Amino acid sequence: GGYVERYVRCAAPLETHWNVHEPTGFAAWAVSKGRLAAARKAVEDASIPSSLLHGDAYADNVMLDGEDAMLVDWEDSAIGACAFDVATAAVGGCFDVIDDETCAVDVFPPVARPKLDVVAALLESYAAARGAFSAREAELFVPLMKANALACALYRFYQFHVAAPDSPEAGKRSYREIHAICLALEEERIAEGIAAVARKVVR
């Protein structure tokens, strides 16, 4: 299957695999308005440089040793867009997310708040270390973030609602953190703010 299915660990096309009538409303949201197609298109765009990717560059896959840091857990590694790993890191570390754990399951989470100063610091460090960050990569940065956020939210939902439906409530609600980031990235003001930061880093 494509990138999203591989990330979710689901062999079937998600548009036909999901039960869109499940009670949270998340599955129906995820497969609507071309979100899956847009995610696949961003990840498969051949107009930007490619390289070996970690594929899941979240903070919980970073091991620190003094001032040194290394990525661990390479099961999602692949050849793909260079900027994808930094887009993933931005999804995982550049938002404040507040969720009401008492709200009903069919109430979507509040929109996450971006930390643009952290996005800027992350991209500046990345571009300096790599020695490059093209205008096209800046243009695709938000779409790549959207692709990873959607896939990660789908992964958490699939794991705790479909693959293991008897999971604890905390596991079942874990997708909501990333769904809140998905919702943020769909807000024009937030997406443009992040895109503007990315354009300033172009070199």
Side-chain angles (χ1 to χ4, degrees):
Y3 157 74
V4 180
E5 281 75 16
R6 291 198 306 273
Y7 196 106
V8 176
R9 314 285 195 270
C10 177
L14 292 175
E15 292 93 335
T16 58
H17 182 76
W18 287 116
N19 169 20
V20 296
H21 303 296
E22 54 80 26
T24 72
F26 171 72
W29 175 89
V31 302
S32 66
K33 296 186 177 180
R35 291 183 176 95
L36 288 171
R40 295 177 181 123
K41 181 179 178 181
V43 172
E44 294 167 3
D45 193 298
S47 67
I48 56 178
S50 63
S51 69
L52 174 65
L53 301 177
H54 179 274
D56 193 23
Y58 281 75
D60 54 1
N61 285 328
V62 177
M63 182 177 291
L64 300 176
D65 181 10
E67 295 184 356
D68 296 325
M70 66 187 75
L71 285 164
V72 297
D73 189 2
W74 285 77
E75 66 178 317
D76 291 310
S77 60
I79 301 298
C82 292
F84 181 73
D85 274 346
V86 71
T88 301
V91 169
C94 296
F95 289 86
D96 285 321
V97 180
I98 300 173
D99 192 13
D100 180 358
E101 296 182 0
T102 66
C103 71
V105 295
D106 60 348
V107 175
F108 282 7
V111 173
R113 296 192 300 267
K115 298 183 283 190
L116 294 182
D117 58 333
V118 181
V119 176
L122 174 67
L123 281 175
E124 287 284 359
S125 297
Y126 171 81
R130 191 181 130 203
F133 188 72
S134 69
R136 180 62 176 156
E137 287 175 302
E139 182 181 348
L140 284 174
F141 187 64
V142 170
L144 288 171
M145 289 179 69
K146 287 181 176 180
N148 177 264
L150 179 64
C152 184
L154 284 165
Y155 168 78
R156 293 184 182 187
F157 188 90
Y158 183 79
Q159 293 303 306
F160 298 115
H161 288 256
V162 180
D166 296 328
S167 297
E169 188 63 22
K172 285 182 174 292
R173 295 182 71 92
S174 65
Y175 77 92
R176 292 172 58 86
E177 173 189 5
I178 309 299
H179 188 195
I181 295 170
C182 293
L183 295 173
L185 291 167
E186 290 196 346
E187 289 205 356
E188 184 176 353
R189 175 183 57 83
I190 291 174
E192 176 51 33
I194 295 171
V197 169
R199 288 193 293 270
K200 290 180 180 178
V201 179
V202 169
R203 59 189 64 192

